[in-house]
Amino acid sequence: MYVFNFSEGNKDQKDLLGGKGANLAEMVNMGLPVPPGFTISTEACKAYLASGQSPANLRVEVTMALRQTEDAIGRHFGADEEPLLLSVRSGAKFSMPGMMETVLNVGLNDTSVEGMARFAGDERFAWDSYRRLIQMFGKTVLDIEGDLFAEALDAQKEKAGVKSDPELTAADHKEVVAAYKQIVLDQTGEDFPQDPRTQLDMAIEAVFNSWNTERARLYRRRERIPDDLGTAVNVMAMVFGNLGETSGTGVCFTRDPSSGHSGVYGDYLSNAQGEDVVAGIRNTLPLSKLEELDPKSYKELRAAMRRLETHYRDLCDIEFTIERGKLWMLQTRVGKRTAAAAFRVATQLVDEHLITLDEALGRVSGMQLSQLLFPHFDAQSGVKPLAKGLGASPGASVGEVVFDNAGAIAKKEAGVKCILVRRETSPDDLPGMVASVGVLTARGGKTSHAAVVARGMGMCAVVGAEALKVDPAGKTVTVGTTVLNEGDVIAIDGATGEIFVGEVPVVDSPVMTYISEGIDAAQHAAHGDPETLDLINSVDRLLRYADGVRRLRVRANADTAEDALRARERGAQGIGLCRTEHQFLGERRKYVESVILADNPEASQAALDELVPIQRQDFIELLTVMDGLPTTIRLIDPPLHEFLPDLTELSVKVAVAEAKGEEPDQHDLKLLTAVQRTHEANPMLGLRGVRLGLKIPGLFDLQIRAIAEATVQLLGEGKRPKPEIMVPLVGSVRELQIIRDRAEAILADVSTTSGVKLQIPIGCMIELPRAALTAGRIAEEAEFFSFGTNDLTQTTWGFSRDDVESAFFADYLEAGVLTISPFETLDALGVGALVRMGVAAGRETRPDIHVGVCGEHGGDPESIHFFHDAGLDYVSCSPFRVPVARLEAGRAAVAVGDAGTA
């Protein structure tokens, strides 16, 4: 069975009915006024896409459902008098606003348009509906360039001497219909189809096909929506918002999707159809104006909004139409919202006793918290805005003006930030939006395409800036006497709607102030602004709750005392990775160089001895900042070539000297010999990590001694240092055993000399497939594991990260081989299987082994959920992402009912 009446489903059947169909069914079950209709399931779409044709029995099922719709509304599809017209809309499981197709007024033809005029008592309405059908059908079903229809409509308005669509008369619309039909004939070689059932069948197949349009595929890649879900098709009896001033259409939210505040939020247009609101073609009225225009419908709508929010227990996005004073509910869904709105709405619903704190934590995300940490424009800068629109998606964006997809993509490829400026956006503008840091439109409201998509993408957006005169052909935007050209720099504030010429100073986010300095400092910095205070308190409340329920501890990757301090301020519970090689950069490089160039063991040891006090001081500073918290120090890891000059540059330098008849510098010659000796074709798989420690034992030994001596000194000062020694790139238990024996000997020597007993855990990184596969044996020598998922990903996939991301990742993403870079989000099926295997084997050998991750995946929200599920004890990430990791670790715990104390 492929077709379901609206009364046959519910909101939990999104896989089968799509989000729109499932929610329509739910509204019918609630008794809300929904026009009759039916949903063609996602299974029908998948069957169509697989075979290239509709399932054999689909046509019959559509006929049966269509007759039920006719009976419910009392009109007949295809009738010449009082015809039933239909809307045909897409509806995937996951919301993809504007990415797929819609066709309205299906069923009108040259004969029934006259009957519709008589039925409605409004000739203008009937011909307006007919021209809309031809325009949408032509663009959507027949793939005709939309600008052709827009130009014909503009030409008719110019001929009639009017500025807006509602000012056109019935006679004007008849001329537009004739022009549109000629466009169809010219572009396709065939007349516009007059048979209503043909229109319906073609529209259904067009919606199926729209699942695989480029913009839909791009949106799914960005949002990581699977390609194999397909879309449902919702066929609904048309109700009309363009039947005069007592009719209209709108979109509303039960709370403000930009700020999260309760109130009356939405857009309304009198004498219009729904696409006019969503497309942003006409600037809308605020929803509150409906109370003046139609108090009865307004009251009914507000009651329905309250019922829906209570039923869904969340912010709801609602589309509605009023037909001659009768309210109809056309769609609802849980509304997209900005990051600030997400935190505010979550805590508001807790306070209203509609959801629990566990549920509230599930309503926000680490990505949203990240957005709140970004800087914003300085209100005290004194810079005057050029113009002001509606702040549709918060953020502070600065970039060069571009007017189309090609311009935006070119800027991005050149590494230049840009802002897409349009009269209004359509789904076709998605590639340009993805390539931009912000979007600015002259038309549209907070529920227009640009606003909805930008909020979903977390992108700064300002819409409805009526003062802007955008000329995409001339690539200019004019505000009064100011003319901006493509390439000029502007700044937009997605919270206030302000537009500035040139760059504007930015200041730290108040949420970042809270994260790094505490709630008191953040409240002081807010200067009493109630909206900012409300946001800070909402974030504080949910972050503290996450800290209380999460099982995963959160450490940071930090190489210096400054990094460690920054991490601790952001709530890090230790250091999961101190990359000691970073401490050898700059002036210190010469010490390692001296070790490599040493002619005998004595010279090598002398160079190493010089490093001990330097490293000791590094560790004293680091351990002092992290006093009382575990600090994992990785012994030197990179290959030797990173401490030596580049082979090519050095060879050229020596060759040039010889070519000039000069004696090359003896040091350069010695260096060249060393570089040639240590040169490797693939150094990342060569002499590095534990292999380097075995080849040049003194390197690891000096670091272990420096750690031990720093610990002794701090213990003597009454501090509580908790260092952990981590051996990199272990592939064999014997490698670790050799290093451990040497480390224990050094620790014993320092203990004996100082009289201070040292207990410093020794563990290793698991970053090679062999290490994961033999983790049970390695755990015999390791007191802890830390998964180095960057290298583990490289060695599992056989990818060289520095090469593949630029060479072919874009092609792999396009082809669906990858849905996201495995270096951003952990490959759970492949690399993740090795992680699970390593954890299980390690704990089987040593039940109390401590297991963490220190790759970049430690700060990735999706990967954190995997690590929680895999049973790791902690994640370690960059200091900036510590708050994100704290929140996501809490979300992971409540998602699986596995809350604990971190």
Side-chain angles (χ1 to χ4, degrees):
M1 182 173 177
Y2 291 113
V3 180
F4 300 84
N5 191 280
F6 287 162
S7 62
E8 294 180 300
N10 60 62
K11 65 181 175 64
D12 298 322
Q13 293 182 285
K14 291 183 174 65
D15 285 315
L16 180 67
L17 303 178
K20 190 175 297 180
N23 288 325
L24 283 168
E26 193 72 13
M27 287 198 293
V28 170
N29 295 339
M30 292 172 64
L32 292 172
V34 176
F38 54 91
T39 298
I40 302 170
S41 73
T42 57
E43 293 300 319
C45 176
K46 287 188 277 190
Y48 172 84
L49 294 176
S51 66
Q53 58 186 13
S54 296
N57 56 331
L58 179 61
R59 185 177 175 85
V60 172
E61 290 189 34
V62 168
T63 299
M64 299 296 291
L66 182 56
R67 291 198 172 192
Q68 289 181 327
T69 302
E70 291 174 329
D71 293 342
I73 204 163
R75 300 201 300 274
H76 292 280
F77 184 66
D80 292 341
E81 297 296 326
E82 300 185 17
L84 166 65
L85 304 185
L86 301 171
S87 65
V88 180
R89 302 174 187 265
S90 62
K93 176 182 180 180
F94 299 106
S95 176
M96 295 171 56
M99 294 303 110
M100 291 180 292
E101 304 298 5
T102 293
V103 186
L104 305 180
N105 306 319
V106 172
L108 274 178
N109 56 27
D110 292 349
T111 303
S112 61
V113 67
E114 301 286 359
M116 177 58 74
R118 288 188 288 273
F119 170 67
D122 187 336
E123 189 179 27
R124 181 201 171 281
F125 150 75
W127 285 93
D128 178 34
S129 298
Y130 193 20
R131 70 94 183 164
R132 289 171 185 266
L133 167 63
I134 300 172
Q135 181 175 5
M136 298 182 77
F137 194 94
K139 184 175 184 295
T140 298
V141 181
L142 303 178
D143 201 26
I144 297 173
E145 179 60 49
D147 286 346
L148 295 174
F149 297 108
E151 289 165 4
L153 183 62
D154 288 342
Q156 187 63 38
K157 285 190 285 189
E158 185 176 348
K159 178 181 176 182
V162 300
K163 292 185 176 181
S164 64
D165 299 357
E167 296 176 274
L168 292 172
T169 64
D172 291 326
H173 281 299
K174 288 180 181 180
E175 291 190 40
V176 174
V177 165
Y180 280 6
K181 288 167 68 178
Q182 188 62 48
I183 290 171
V184 171
L185 179 60
D186 292 343
Q187 296 297 312
T188 68
E190 297 181 7
D191 289 323
F192 177 77
Q194 293 293 302
D195 176 48
R197 185 56 192 263
T198 299
Q199 293 177 14
L200 176 60
D201 291 340
M202 291 178 71
I204 290 169
E205 290 194 357
V207 173
F208 285 159
N209 286 322
S210 72
W211 175 255
N212 279 331
T213 60
E214 180 56 34
R215 69 174 185 244
R217 294 173 71 89
L218 174 62
Y219 186 88
R220 289 199 297 275
R221 285 198 300 272
R222 182 181 177 89
E223 299 298 318
R224 303 192 62 203
I225 297 172
D227 278 330
D228 61 356
L229 297 180
T231 180
V233 182
N234 299 287
V235 181
M236 178 186 286
M238 283 292 300
V239 291
F240 300 97
N242 57 335
L243 271 172
E245 294 305 313
T246 60
S247 302
T249 189
V251 177
C252 59
F253 297 88
T254 56
R255 299 174 193 242
D256 187 343
S258 292
S259 69
H261 295 310
S262 299
V264 181
Y265 297 96
D267 298 323
Y268 181 73
L269 273 176
S270 293
N271 197 19
Q273 286 195 327
E275 291 303 301
D276 296 339
V277 177
V278 176
I281 294 170
R282 291 166 54 189
N283 284 339
T284 56
L285 299 172
L287 185 64
S288 56
K289 286 288 184 182
L290 180 59
E291 187 173 17
E292 301 173 17
L293 298 171
D294 187 347
K296 175 177 172 292
S297 296
Y298 178 79
K299 183 178 179 181
E300 292 174 1
L301 177 63
R302 290 287 287 154
M305 291 168 66
R306 179 178 170 84
R307 285 188 63 192
L308 284 168
E309 181 171 274
T310 301
H311 187 74
Y312 282 86
R313 301 186 303 131
D314 206 346
L315 181 159
C316 290
D317 171 353
I318 300 162
E319 294 181 18
F320 66 94
T321 284
I322 298 171
E323 182 183 88
R324 289 178 171 168
K326 165 67 175 174
L327 173 69
W328 292 99
M329 308 294 285
L330 306 185
Q331 176 180 340
T332 191
R333 60 191 172 199
V334 171
K336 293 184 181 294
R337 66 208 72 182
T338 64
F343 279 87
R344 286 198 187 96
V345 170
T347 53
Q348 287 169 4
L349 293 175
V350 170
D351 292 338
E352 294 168 23
H353 309 294
L354 284 172
I355 63 174
T356 66
L357 271 168
D358 278 3
E359 290 172 306
L361 200 54
R363 301 282 178 88
V364 297
S365 70
M367 183 176 292
Q368 289 168 331
L369 180 57
S370 293
Q371 293 170 16
L372 294 178
L373 302 179
F374 295 135
H376 60 94
F377 292 138
D378 184 2
Q380 311 302 318
S381 67
V383 180
K384 300 296 182 184
L386 173 69
K388 188 172 183 179
L390 299 172
S393 185
S397 292
V398 179
E400 295 186 7
V401 172
V402 294
F403 293 93
D404 52 32
N405 290 341
I409 293 169
K411 293 290 185 187
K412 183 177 182 181
E413 289 177 349
V416 177
K417 293 182 179 179
C418 64
I419 293 174
L420 180 65
V421 181
R422 304 284 289 163
R423 289 177 185 150
E424 69 274 336
T425 65
S426 74
D428 293 332
D429 292 314
L430 183 66
M433 294 180 70
V434 170
S436 304
V437 296
V439 61
L440 169 64
T441 70
R443 301 174 184 167
K446 287 189 176 183
T447 57
S448 64
H449 172 268
V452 172
V453 173
R455 280 196 293 271
M457 292 166 58
M459 171 186 286
C460 175
V462 174
V463 301
E466 297 181 6
L468 273 62
K469 307 301 179 188
V470 181
D471 178 6
K475 296 191 182 299
T476 63
V477 56
T478 305
V479 181
T481 58
T482 301
V483 179
L484 298 171
N485 298 289
E486 187 161 70
D488 288 344
V489 175
I490 62 171
I492 60 174
D493 189 325
T496 66
E498 292 176 315
I499 305 151
F500 305 89
V501 176
E503 297 195 18
V504 178
V506 296
V507 294
D508 285 340
S509 152
V511 176
M512 176 55 85
T513 303
Y514 152 69
I515 292 293
S516 58
E517 300 180 38
I519 193 165
D520 291 340
Q523 289 173 339
H524 177 74
H527 303 296
D529 176 53
E531 188 161 319
T532 302
L533 290 171
D534 185 35
L535 174 60
I536 291 168
N537 289 331
S538 294
V539 173
D540 173 65
R541 187 172 174 186
L542 290 178
L543 197 53
R544 282 190 293 108
Y545 185 72
D547 286 338
V549 299
R550 61 185 167 88
R551 181 186 59 74
L552 278 173
R553 296 177 71 83
V554 177
R555 299 190 191 181
N557 303 336
D559 310 324
T560 65
E562 291 78 13
D563 288 342
L565 180 60
R566 193 174 296 115
R568 189 157 191 167
E569 288 172 344
R570 287 160 172 72
Q573 296 166 292
I575 298 300
L577 174 64
C578 169
R579 293 159 289 209
T580 55
E581 60 270 12
H582 289 184
Q583 298 167 351
F584 288 90
L585 300 178
E587 287 295 313
R588 298 187 187 182
R589 186 190 299 264
K590 63 185 180 183
Y591 294 108
V592 182
E593 186 180 292
S594 298
V595 173
I596 297 169
L597 297 179
D599 296 324
N600 52 68
E602 292 76 16
S604 176
Q605 188 60 50
L608 291 170
D609 289 344
E610 287 188 74
L611 275 170
V612 173
I614 297 173
Q615 279 273 269
R616 184 196 309 126
Q617 186 58 36
D618 291 332
F619 298 140
I620 286 172
E621 293 174 3
L622 183 69
L623 293 168
T624 297
V625 172
M626 300 309 296
D627 191 48
L629 296 177
T631 304
T632 304
I633 301 170
R634 183 178 72 185
L635 302 178
I636 193 165
D637 179 45
L640 289 178
H641 81 276
E642 292 194 11
F643 300 101
L644 295 171
D646 179 75
L647 175 60
T648 302
E649 292 180 3
L650 193 57
S651 298
V652 169
K653 183 179 180 182
V654 171
V656 167
E658 291 175 340
K660 291 180 177 180
E662 300 173 356
E663 184 71 25
D665 184 90
Q666 290 304 303
H667 183 69
D668 287 344
L669 286 173
K670 196 172 184 180
L671 271 177
L672 181 58
T673 300
V675 170
Q676 290 170 334
R677 184 181 71 248
T678 59
H679 177 71
E680 297 174 292
N682 191 345
M684 296 311 291
L685 293 178
L687 183 61
R688 55 168 287 217
V690 68
R691 304 161 191 170
L692 186 61
L694 294 173
K695 180 73 173 177
I696 308 177
L699 279 175
F700 276 15
D701 292 356
L702 84 88
Q703 292 189 300
I704 295 167
R705 183 169 295 278
I707 293 168
E709 291 177 355
T711 303
V712 166
Q713 180 173 326
L714 292 174
L715 287 171
E717 295 172 4
K719 294 186 171 63
R720 299 170 300 148
K722 291 188 175 182
E724 300 174 341
I725 297 172
M726 183 159 69
V727 183
L729 211 71
V730 167
S732 161
V733 65
R734 180 56 182 155
E735 290 174 321
L736 181 58
Q737 190 178 59
I738 295 170
I739 299 299
R740 183 181 185 93
D741 287 346
R742 292 214 317 258
E744 288 180 341
I746 294 168
L747 295 177
D749 179 58
V750 173
S751 292
T752 301
T753 302
S754 64
V756 177
K757 186 177 181 180
L758 291 175
Q759 291 183 317
I760 299 177
I762 300 171
C764 69
M765 295 190 72
I766 303 293
E767 50 192 333
L768 296 174
R770 191 180 193 282
L773 292 168
T774 62
R777 297 193 65 193
I778 293 174
E780 295 171 4
E781 299 293 333
E783 294 170 74
F784 65 87
F785 286 162
S786 181
F787 285 90
T789 50
N790 296 340
D791 274 348
L792 190 58
T793 297
Q794 291 196 94
T795 52
T796 301
W797 276 92
F799 285 160
S800 170
R801 177 175 183 173
D802 293 338
D803 298 322
V804 299
E805 289 193 319
S806 59
F808 61 82
F809 264 23
D811 298 324
Y812 266 39
L813 291 167
E814 175 69 26
V817 177
L818 300 172
T819 59
I820 194 170
S821 166
F823 295 106
E824 293 179 37
T825 294
L826 189 81
D827 163 29
L829 293 176
V831 179
L834 290 172
V835 172
R836 290 184 188 276
M837 191 181 303
V839 172
R843 291 209 168 117
E844 185 174 349
T845 298
R846 189 188 292 263
D848 62 346
I849 194 168
H850 208 58
V851 183
V853 60
C854 62
E856 291 179 23
H857 298 108
D860 171 66
E862 186 174 330
S863 302
I864 290 169
H865 286 250
F866 171 85
F867 296 133
H868 174 95
D869 186 60
L872 270 66
D873 297 301
Y874 70 86
V875 295
S876 188
C877 57
S878 72
F880 181 81
R881 295 195 68 80
V882 165
V884 172
R886 289 164 55 197
L887 186 76
E888 286 295 346
R891 294 183 71 240
V894 300
V896 298
D898 188 22
T901 301

